[in-house]
Amino acid sequence: MRYHVEHLACATTLRQLPRAYGEITNTRAARQAVEHRNRQVTDAFTTHLLPHTADLVRLARQGLDAMPPARHHTGWRLLLDDLDHATEHIRGILAAPAQRTGQLVRTRAQLWPYLTTWAEHSLIVRDLAGQNGAAAVPVLPVAEQEQLTALALAARDRGELEPFDSWHDAAGRRITLAYLIENDDSTILALAEDPGGDLSVLGRFETEYEAGQASPPQVPAGVLRPDAPWRTEHPQPEGELGALIQDVITSSHTGDVARSIAEAVDDDDRQRGPLPQLAAFLRVCAEFADALDTDDGRKTAARLTVLAAQTDTLTQELHSAGEELGAQVAVLPPYRVPRPRHVAMPPGPALQTTSPPPAAGNAPLAGARRK
């Protein structure tokens, strides 16, 4: 996790330099900035991660082997093969003699795509390795489980069940932690929704830590576009809306997308989102057309005023949809596996984004609203 964060910070800082200071026209300065990024990421990897890569991949494979069979395991195994491939190339590049400064610079540049592979897949390794040695989830007596499940469903209908964390477990269930609000007090319920839609309570706890420790460990979340480049390798987005689009493409959690929507509709005087700006733009255009003091100008002004009002309505609807999405507290399903960066995909239809067939059952927790 530490390497994942350091790589992302270094790569993101370099990408944001033009936005903060304008395009770097000095070729030498631009080259030195890239070299600085490469050096920082190389040092972080060789210091914190390289000595443990073999053990991490081995533990991830063991965790994967211990999970109930699922069609998306093929995609995860390809990603672990991808990491073995990247590690082999990293060790080979580092083993080559490089005494002079110029050679070190070229070595770090050669390492960059393989270091990025580890940054992209490191959270998947963490989640798969976390399947090893996971404490057995205590099973409630049937009567107690039925009682708590009925309590949870009733609380959800009253709007008194507030989810705050969610993931998928190895059995394909959606695990959700939610606050149960009772008499101005709250406890935490751990709930499991199976692929068929049936909901059950795993336990009731006093703290978030206890609930997390007593719940099944998470498996890697899915991605929106399995064949998309990693977030630091997307083309630099154009404009504020382009950046928000990229944020959604690289998101796995509803909370991230809800925040992007909130930024798009933000009407704060200090930082207005693109939709309120569009409405303001339409109104000033209407003002200009009306100021022409002609029949045609007034007709155009009326048309622009209607468009501004429609944009206001769209902004309000989008704000409501963003709040609704954020309240769902969900992640993309694990079968949306990213494609490997180096090893070849097997022939045949892609398995990564095939959804299980829908089934009827209890409604998910998406209806719970926040207070």
Side-chain angles (χ1 to χ4, degrees):
M1 183 67 182
R2 178 175 178 178
Y3 172 70
H4 173 92
V5 172
E6 290 192 36
H7 182 287
L8 188 59
C10 292
T12 302
T13 298
L14 181 61
R15 284 168 55 86
Q16 291 179 343
L17 280 177
R19 189 182 303 174
Y21 303 104
E23 291 297 327
I24 302 176
T25 56
N26 186 300
T27 305
R28 181 180 179 185
R31 185 179 67 250
Q32 288 177 337
V34 173
E35 292 171 359
H36 180 72
R37 178 205 66 182
N38 293 349
R39 181 171 66 254
Q40 283 189 298
V41 173
T42 300
D43 291 346
F45 182 86
T46 55
T47 302
H48 303 302
L49 200 53
L50 184 58
H52 312 291
T53 51
D55 289 337
L56 287 170
V57 174
R58 176 179 55 80
L59 287 172
R61 292 190 188 278
Q62 289 177 354
L64 183 53
D65 291 341
M67 295 166 63
R71 64 180 68 190
H72 47 274
H73 289 185
T74 299
W76 286 342
R77 289 193 174 91
L78 281 174
L79 295 182
L80 296 179
D81 292 342
D82 215 31
L83 288 176
D84 279 335
H85 177 98
T87 304
E88 180 181 351
H89 279 72
I90 289 171
R91 293 188 183 279
I93 293 170
L94 291 175
Q99 286 82 20
R100 291 183 295 181
T101 302
Q103 290 175 315
L104 287 173
V105 170
R106 286 190 292 273
T107 294
R108 296 186 186 115
Q110 291 174 326
L111 288 171
W112 178 253
Y114 304 110
L115 299 177
T116 300
T117 301
W118 263 98
E120 181 182 20
H121 299 338
S122 58
L123 299 186
I124 292 175
V125 173
R126 178 202 64 184
D127 291 346
L128 292 178
Q131 302 295 318
N132 291 283
V137 178
V139 179
L140 295 176
V142 175
E144 184 180 355
Q145 186 180 68
E146 290 178 349
Q147 179 185 9
L148 284 176
T149 299
L151 180 66
L153 292 172
R156 183 187 62 189
D157 292 340
R158 298 192 305 269
E160 295 178 348
L161 192 66
E162 300 184 357
F164 63 88
D165 199 4
S166 181
W167 64 88
H168 291 87
D169 72 354
R173 299 179 300 176
R174 176 182 163 190
I175 308 299
T176 302
L177 303 183
Y179 294 111
L180 174 65
I181 312 299
E182 293 180 302
N183 301 321
D184 295 328
D185 195 10
S186 67
T187 54
I188 296 169
L189 295 182
L191 307 108
E193 181 189 350
D194 65 28
D198 292 326
L199 188 70
S200 60
V201 175
L202 300 178
R204 183 172 183 170
F205 309 92
E206 294 297 325
T207 67
E208 297 177 11
Y209 178 79
E210 290 175 347
Q213 290 296 107
S215 300
Q218 65 182 0
V219 299
V223 296
L224 181 61
R225 297 180 180 176
D227 57 348
W230 197 44
R231 65 184 67 184
T232 59
E233 296 185 329
H234 280 267
Q236 188 69 17
E238 296 183 4
E240 183 180 359
L241 195 57
L244 294 176
I245 291 172
Q246 181 173 306
D247 287 344
V248 174
I249 291 173
T250 58
S251 297
S252 293
H253 198 286
T254 55
D256 298 330
V257 181
R259 280 189 290 273
S260 294
I261 292 177
E263 289 186 36
V265 301
D266 187 7
D267 200 15
D268 189 282
D269 290 337
R270 293 170 298 179
Q271 185 176 356
R272 306 185 77 188
L275 279 180
Q277 289 185 58
L278 175 60
F281 170 74
L282 292 170
R283 288 192 177 89
V284 75
C285 289
E287 181 184 352
F288 178 89
D290 188 61
L292 295 174
D293 202 19
T294 64
D295 289 341
D296 287 343
R298 283 187 284 272
K299 290 177 182 178
T300 302
R303 184 179 183 183
L304 289 167
T305 300
V306 169
L307 288 173
Q310 291 174 339
T311 303
D312 287 336
T313 301
L314 174 62
T315 300
Q316 294 168 5
E317 288 293 320
L318 185 55
H319 175 76
S320 176
E323 289 191 331
E324 180 180 290
L325 185 64
Q328 294 176 28
V329 189
V331 296
L332 291 174
Y335 53 77
R336 303 187 67 89
V337 183
R339 294 180 182 272
R341 298 171 59 89
H342 307 293
V343 301
M345 291 285 295
L351 301 177
Q352 282 82 352
T353 59
T354 304
S355 172
N362 291 332
L365 288 172
R369 70 173 185 267
R370 294 184 177 274
K371 288 196 168 185

